[in-house]
Amino acid sequence: MKVKYIDLEMGLLAVVIAFTAFINISTFHIANYREMKILMLLLGGVIILKYAHVIMKKEYQLINAGLLFFACVAGMSSFINRGLQGTDYVSVIVFVFTILETFSFVEIIRENEKVHMGCKIIYICCLVTCILSDLLMIVFPFRFSFLLHNDAYLVGNKFNVCYTHLYLLLFFCATHNLNRKRNRIVLIGFLVESIAVALSVNCTTGMISFFIFALLMVTKDRIYSIVEKPAFFVLLTIGLDLLLVINSAVLSIPVISNFITNTLGKDITLTGRMDAYARFFFMMSRHYLLGYGLDHNYWVCLKGLTSNSLLPIYNAQNGIFDSIVSYGLIGTIVIFLVSCEMIKKGRKKK
């Protein structure tokens, strides 16, 4: 069977996107992995330039313009706040080009009718990575454990472990016919294994994600008409984050506080994040429009940086707050606009 040249290009580009956008290898184990990502992005960029005519098509201009504007906002925010601890322009460049190349990749494989092949390759990359990550945790628990280092798992921290498994589930669904019994059994096996991994690394976020995934898979035919609407995405995201602002009254309800502390075994303040939400507006003084820049979230929240003093504060970490701290209101609004445009296009095409 003769392999077409375009298949080699798309396959190579898919691997690049898999290991830059979806799979993160911890620098605790491979110290120069960021440099490796830069080389992969350079290779991906060369391939994408060959198909520049595709990403310039009118159909993609609105999304691509939004992405370029967001890239400028992220870069500008980091440059303006360059005096803060943790400023790293290389990380900003890698972040921006990862986003731009990922979207370009999607547009290119769509135009060349290579969507299934591209998704299948990313699925295989996720599968191999998950298997290797899980085996290393089992065989070498003291080497690949958060007890040694926060990013000691093969793919980084406990959140990355769960996210990689979630990508595995998603790309399996994108590349396999779930009407076949065998594929449904495999999916259930992956889901059970993912939940077990989330439990083993003590990641509540991962467990909740897998529960929501299972719920959506069971009810997808009934709920699809709702979730495919951009308004649903916006209202759901804003609504859930607003709950964090008005949570004091909610958390004071005995049933809820008992569930968090006794059932989940978590701090009622969500490991100090409630303090971050309470001081959020004070912390963002004079930084509303552009935020503090990429990778400054932890530093800003932990230090409680303000114009007058340094206050002890924890990392906000979630949703809109995280985005506003990093990119300001301007960058956050652009994220919402691009997301809504993507959802609208998704309603027209699978």
Side-chain angles (χ1 to χ4, degrees):
M1 179 178 176
K2 187 177 180 180
V3 179
K4 296 181 179 179
Y5 187 72
I6 188 174
D7 290 337
L8 293 175
E9 288 183 325
M10 295 301 100
L12 185 57
L13 187 56
V15 173
V16 168
I17 297 304
F19 285 99
T20 54
F22 295 103
I23 301 171
N24 174 71
I25 303 298
S26 173
T27 53
F28 179 77
H29 297 290
I30 302 180
N32 62 342
Y33 187 70
R34 189 175 71 167
E35 286 71 23
M36 294 172 62
K37 288 180 69 173
I38 294 173
L39 292 176
M40 286 189 286
L41 288 171
L42 286 173
L43 176 60
V46 171
I47 298 175
I48 289 172
L49 283 176
K50 181 180 177 180
Y51 297 91
H53 63 282
V54 172
I55 61 180
M56 295 297 292
K57 291 186 65 173
K58 184 177 180 180
E59 184 177 4
Y60 306 119
Q61 286 179 1
L62 187 59
I63 285 182
N64 291 339
L67 292 172
L68 285 173
F69 184 71
F70 173 76
C72 292
V73 171
M76 186 183 303
S77 179
S78 297
F79 178 78
I80 291 174
N81 295 286
R82 59 189 179 279
L84 297 183
Q85 177 182 338
T87 300
D88 185 351
Y89 296 121
V90 177
S91 293
V92 177
I93 293 173
V94 171
F95 170 72
V96 166
F97 274 91
T98 298
I99 291 176
L100 295 177
E101 290 194 18
T102 299
F103 276 79
S104 297
F105 164 71
V106 173
E107 293 163 4
I108 291 171
I109 62 172
R110 180 187 174 195
E111 288 297 317
N112 289 281
E113 299 182 346
K114 301 294 181 181
V115 173
H116 185 270
M117 186 191 78
C119 290
K120 190 67 175 289
I121 291 175
I122 296 177
Y123 158 70
I124 294 173
C125 291
C126 289
L127 176 62
V128 172
T129 303
C130 286
I131 292 174
L132 185 58
S133 177
D134 296 348
L135 286 176
L136 289 172
M137 283 192 289
I138 296 172
V139 179
F140 303 104
F142 296 105
R143 177 62 177 167
F144 295 86
S145 169
F146 74 94
L147 296 175
L148 176 64
H149 188 274
N150 185 50
D151 290 326
Y153 299 111
L154 177 64
V155 292
N157 57 37
K158 63 181 183 180
F159 299 106
N160 286 335
V161 171
C162 293
Y163 295 156
T164 307
H165 281 78
L166 184 59
Y167 290 138
L168 171 65
L169 293 170
L170 294 172
F171 281 105
F172 179 86
C173 292
T175 55
H176 292 77
N177 183 1
L178 297 183
N179 289 324
R180 295 182 178 179
K181 183 178 180 180
R182 184 180 65 177
N183 289 339
R184 292 199 299 270
I185 293 174
V186 173
L187 178 62
I188 293 173
F190 281 155
L191 181 59
V192 171
E193 190 266 347
S194 297
I195 294 174
V197 169
L199 288 169
S200 68
V201 299
N202 192 30
C203 184
T204 306
T205 301
M207 288 185 281
I208 293 174
S209 298
F210 296 133
F211 171 77
I212 293 174
F213 172 85
L215 183 64
L216 290 174
M217 291 305 300
V218 171
T219 62
K220 63 178 183 179
D221 292 334
R222 285 164 284 177
I223 204 172
Y224 186 75
S225 60
I226 299 175
V227 300
E228 70 173 352
K229 297 178 180 178
F232 175 81
F233 162 74
V234 174
L235 293 176
L236 180 67
T237 305
I238 294 177
L240 290 176
D241 281 297
L242 285 178
L243 286 177
L244 299 173
V245 180
I246 60 175
N247 73 90
S248 297
V250 176
L251 291 179
S252 64
I253 299 175
V255 175
I256 295 179
S257 61
N258 179 67
F259 175 75
I260 293 176
T261 56
N262 297 325
T263 305
L264 296 180
K266 300 293 183 179
D267 179 8
I268 192 65
T269 66
L270 300 184
T271 321
R273 291 179 193 136
M274 294 301 100
D275 187 34
Y277 302 140
R279 299 182 183 182
F280 176 77
F281 298 102
F282 182 53
M283 178 183 68
M284 290 303 299
S285 177
R286 297 190 300 180
H287 287 268
Y288 278 110
L289 291 181
L290 293 176
Y292 285 92
L294 182 68
D295 288 340
H296 284 144
N297 193 335
Y298 274 87
W299 185 80
V300 170
C301 292
L302 287 171
K303 297 297 183 181
L305 183 65
T306 69
S307 58
N308 299 317
S309 63
L310 291 176
L311 301 173
I313 199 168
Y314 291 90
N315 177 29
Q317 194 175 33
N318 294 293
I320 296 177
F321 293 138
D322 181 270
S323 180
I324 294 177
V325 170
S326 298
Y327 321 114
L329 287 172
I330 295 177
T332 302
I333 290 173
V334 174
I335 290 175
F336 271 102
L337 292 176
V338 171
S339 299
C340 289
E341 182 64 18
M342 284 166 34
I343 294 172
K344 285 194 292 185
K345 286 188 176 298
R347 298 173 66 180
K348 300 176 182 178
K349 298 279 188 177
K350 288 187 178 181

